[in-house]
Amino acid sequence: MAPGSDPRTAPAASAEAPRLTRLDGSPVRALVVDDEESLSDLLHMALRYEGWEVRTAATGQAALTHAREFKPDVIVLDIMMPDLDGLEVLRRLRTSGDDVPVLFLTAKDAVDDRVAGLTGGGDDYLTKPFSLEELVARLRALIRRTVTIRADAVDPELRVGDLVLNEDSYEVHRGGTPVELTATEFELLRYLMRNPRRVLSKAQILDRVWSYEFDGKASVVELYISYLRKKIDSLGPAMIHTVRGVGYMIKPAP
């Protein structure tokens, strides 16, 4: 998913992972702090699709105000900001007794920056550019470790016709026959199977499978679709279809 993507094209969170809520059933709360508006909007949209309540802040002072009033369960915190940097925001949070889990998000990737963030009381660290799916997964892990929440159980298996993908074991079968996939092939197939009978554009697939800021050519999608077809469609009638000029779709074989 990339800045400027249409939020209506994002897959629903309930199809991807157990929905997290507070014990009282209210949504998990996330605070996103970044002065890059397009990125902040992207994360706001993605976390809303997780079913979370989200607020954003573009400055360190605003972040402290929201943290005090909103009482988030997790904070995504940029290090470089125009007033208080992320390390100072974290220092003030910890000094005030706020132990909310914090994931640092920054373009800086030097070892010293990572060490400073984590030793300063941060809980995790992710550098830009990043995979949106990885960011959400890390936030979910932080919340599970540090916040009293509950998760609605979901079936780990995705099924489209006789094709079955298990998100827990990373196994794929068609008609009972195992299908060996690389990590990227698995992610591409998972995205298609989360959206059966739905046409996905090359841009959507690039954004979701490779990362929100992938700058490669759309031909990589064509290449990996061809890999999947050789492994999936070779076991029976075709399931992966090209909608010319639009994108790709998976549906049960007739």
Side-chain angles (χ1 to χ4, degrees):
M1 201 179 308
S5 297
D6 186 341
R8 292 171 297 180
T9 65
S14 60
E16 300 181 11
R19 185 178 295 272
L20 303 182
T21 64
R22 292 177 161 190
L23 285 182
D24 62 3
S26 62
V28 166
R29 295 180 181 179
L31 174 60
V32 176
V33 185
D34 198 299
D35 62 342
E36 185 181 342
E37 184 177 0
S38 61
L39 179 56
S40 184
D41 289 346
L42 169 70
L43 296 181
H44 182 277
M45 178 187 71
L47 298 180
R48 284 290 302 275
Y49 271 97
E50 286 290 311
W52 300 0
E53 187 176 349
V54 186
R55 286 192 187 178
T56 61
T59 68
Q61 290 288 0
L64 292 170
T65 299
H66 281 307
R68 183 173 60 253
E69 298 175 353
F70 183 50
K71 299 190 183 305
D73 298 303
V74 70
I75 296 177
V76 180
L77 183 59
D78 190 17
I79 285 185
M80 301 300 293
M81 288 186 294
D83 56 348
L84 303 176
D85 66 25
L87 293 173
E88 177 61 18
V89 170
L90 180 62
R91 188 191 69 79
R92 296 191 185 190
L93 286 172
R94 297 299 186 245
T95 299
S96 69
D98 192 337
D99 59 356
V100 58
V102 171
L103 182 145
F104 276 118
L105 184 64
T106 178
K108 303 179 76 173
D109 58 1
V111 173
D112 288 348
D113 296 317
R114 295 199 295 272
V115 171
L118 297 176
T119 58
D123 299 275
D124 203 352
Y125 194 107
L126 197 59
T127 57
K128 304 173 186 176
F130 59 91
S131 160
L132 184 58
E133 197 162 65
E134 180 183 2
L135 175 83
V136 173
R138 289 193 183 202
L139 292 179
R140 291 175 64 90
L142 282 180
I143 291 172
R144 284 179 178 276
R145 290 202 304 266
T146 59
V147 181
T148 303
I149 52 89
R150 69 182 187 190
D152 298 332
V154 296
D155 189 341
E157 290 191 344
L158 300 177
R159 296 175 179 271
V160 177
D162 62 349
L163 182 64
V164 181
L165 179 150
N166 191 302
E167 296 185 289
D168 287 348
S169 66
Y170 274 67
E171 294 177 316
V172 176
H173 294 80
R174 182 170 185 191
T177 301
V179 181
E180 295 294 329
L181 300 178
T182 66
T184 301
E185 291 167 350
F186 183 90
E187 291 302 325
L188 174 56
L189 181 62
R190 173 157 60 177
Y191 185 38
L192 291 171
M193 292 182 68
R194 285 173 177 169
N195 297 274
R197 298 182 182 275
R198 178 181 175 192
V199 180
L200 302 171
S201 70
K202 292 178 183 178
Q204 286 176 274
I205 294 172
L206 278 173
D207 292 341
R208 189 64 179 181
V209 176
W210 275 267
S211 82
Y212 86 95
E213 208 172 60
F214 182 82
D215 57 1
K217 296 180 180 179
S219 59
V220 71
V221 178
E222 299 171 8
L223 181 63
Y224 274 85
I225 287 289
S226 72
Y227 292 160
L228 282 185
R229 281 179 167 148
K230 289 177 182 177
K231 296 182 176 182
I232 302 298
D233 289 349
S234 64
L235 297 175
M239 299 182 68
I240 301 171
H241 302 272
T242 300
V243 179
R244 195 169 300 279
V246 183
Y248 302 97
M249 163 179 70
I250 193 168
K251 63 180 181 180

